[in-house]
């Protein structure tokens, strides 16, 4: 019976799987590590080890095989014990027991079982899908040293281009530069004159319009002239009326409730009044209204501190 197959299945879920009458396979979690010699990154894994002193049957392996094969626990236990005896016999004969996916077992010179894990399977379920990754070292400095060595062996000599005396090409280059500067100067002068002329025309037209309006507006002569008297009816209310600051007691959806609130406040001694509806259709009532914002603020603080914390100020 290939018991190692069932041992592998249990190692994914348990950290100790006992082979009755033989020993226990232990799994220890190991963090991710980097092998600097090979530039290899290894993910977190379970490290498998073996302890031959833990040979007492705990029922885990036998029960698992019994359920998988749908056989009785006693029959499976007998087969597992027979397998343990076969493994011990092979080890005494100097053979190596290869448990596929788990590791290899053999006897050392002292007659103890020596276990070497296979490390091809990661039994840590949280690292499922992760594999080791090896990166190649970057050889920037080495390449730089090779380039410098090549430059030392092969020097680069830059020789200037020789031109014949009296060549026509340098003259053409200077002539083109001079022509470009001349064209830029002419364009700039034309642009300045055009803008200056336009500014003069605008100033002249504006001056003519001002003089025309002045002539049209001058309809009084220098002779004295009596103007008719003008009587205006000015009341005290018109003089004093200005921006008002209302210390608002509340806003009501029904006009009747607002009138009741005005009556209650007047009974309490406030100069209450109805100040109209706001843009939401709510009828507003004030404790009092002031043209002086300081007086309104003084009453607001007094009411907020002693009577109603919901009071606010509305300025027209």
């Amino acid at each position: 019976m290939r018991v190692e197959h069932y041992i592998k299945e249990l190692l994914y879920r348990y950290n100790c799987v006992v082979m009755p009458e033989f020993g226990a396979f232990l799994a220890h979690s190991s963090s991710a590590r980097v092998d600097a010699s090979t530039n290899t990154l290894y993910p977190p894994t379970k490290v498998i080890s073996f302890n031959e002193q833990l040979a007492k049957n705990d029922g885990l392996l036998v029960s698992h095989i019994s359920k998988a094969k749908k056989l009785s626990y006693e029959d499976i236990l007998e087969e597992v014990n027979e397998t343990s005896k076969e493994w011990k016999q092979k080890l005494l004969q100097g053979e190596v027991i290869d448990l596929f996916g788990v590791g290899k077992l053999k006897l050392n010179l002292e007659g103890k079982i020596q276990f070497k894990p296979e490390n091809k399977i990661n039994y840590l379920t949280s690292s499922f899908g992760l594999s080791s990754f090896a990166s190649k070292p970057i050889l920037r400095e080495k390449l730089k040293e090779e380039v410098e060595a090549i430059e030392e062996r092969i020097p680069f000599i830059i020789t200037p281009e020789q031109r014949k005396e009296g060549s026509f090409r340098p003259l053409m280059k200077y002539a083109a530069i001079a022509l470009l500067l001349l064209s830029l100067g002419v364009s700039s002068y034309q642009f300045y004159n055009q803008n200056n002329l336009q500014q003069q025309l605008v100033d002249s037209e504006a001056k003519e319009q001002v003089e025309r309006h002045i002539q049209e507006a001058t309809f009084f002569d220098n002779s004295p002239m009596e103007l008719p008297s003008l009587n205006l009816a000015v009341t005290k209310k018109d003089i004093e009326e200005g921006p008002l600051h209302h210390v608002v007691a509340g806003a009501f959806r029904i006009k009747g409730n607002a009138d009741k609130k005005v009556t209650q406040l007047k009974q309490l001694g406030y100069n209450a009044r109805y100040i109209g509806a706001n843009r939401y259709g709510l009828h507003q009532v004030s404790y009092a209204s002031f043209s002086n914002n300081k007086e309104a603020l003084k009453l607001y603080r007094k009411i907020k501190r002693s009577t109603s914390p919901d009071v606010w100020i509305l300025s027209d």
Side-chain angles (χ1 to χ4, degrees), residues 28-189:
H28 305 277
S29 297
S30 176
S31 303
R33 61 185 180 89
V34 177
D35 189 348
S37 61
T38 59
N39 295 318
T40 304
L41 172 64
Y42 294 95
T45 184
K46 276 186 178 181
V47 179
I48 309 300
S49 61
F50 178 76
N51 189 340
E52 61 178 316
Q53 296 180 356
L54 300 176
K56 186 176 180 180
N57 180 26
D58 60 354
L60 177 63
L61 180 60
V62 178
S63 298
H64 179 68
I65 300 174
S66 176
K67 291 180 181 179
K69 287 194 168 187
K70 297 180 180 180
L71 296 175
S72 65
Y73 181 89
E74 290 76 11
D75 294 340
I76 296 300
L77 179 58
E78 185 178 353
E79 291 187 22
V80 170
N81 289 335
E82 289 294 330
T83 304
S84 297
K85 292 178 182 180
E86 292 178 3
W87 287 2
K88 290 181 179 179
Q89 188 65 30
K90 289 182 179 180
L91 291 175
L92 291 174
Q93 295 175 358
E95 297 183 17
V96 177
I97 300 175
D98 189 0
L99 304 179
F100 179 75
V102 180
K104 296 180 179 180
L105 296 167
K106 68 176 182 178
L107 288 181
N108 58 15
L109 298 177
E110 298 177 356
K112 301 292 183 181
I113 299 177
Q114 188 176 4
F115 175 73
K116 182 180 180 181
E118 188 169 316
N119 294 330
K120 291 183 179 179
I121 299 176
N122 192 346
Y123 291 100
L124 188 63
T125 56
S126 60
S127 298
F128 178 78
L130 299 179
S131 59
S132 59
F133 174 76
S135 62
K136 296 182 179 179
I138 300 174
L139 305 177
R140 292 195 182 96
E141 295 298 330
K142 185 176 180 180
L143 292 175
K144 182 179 179 181
E145 293 176 358
E146 293 179 356
V147 171
E148 291 176 352
I150 294 175
E151 290 178 350
E152 291 178 357
R153 292 196 300 268
I154 307 176
F156 294 93
I157 300 175
I158 302 175
T159 57
E161 182 181 359
Q162 300 293 333
R163 296 184 181 274
K164 295 181 179 179
E165 296 182 0
S167 177
F168 184 71
R169 292 182 63 185
L171 295 177
M172 289 294 294
K173 178 175 67 175
Y174 295 128
I177 295 174
L179 181 61
L180 178 60
L181 294 175
L182 180 63
S183 62
L184 288 174
V186 173
S187 300
S188 301
Y189 180 76

Side-chain angles (χ1 to χ4, degrees), residues 220 225-230:
F220 292 111
M225 179 177 181
E226 288 186 13
L227 295 176
S229 61
L230 180 63

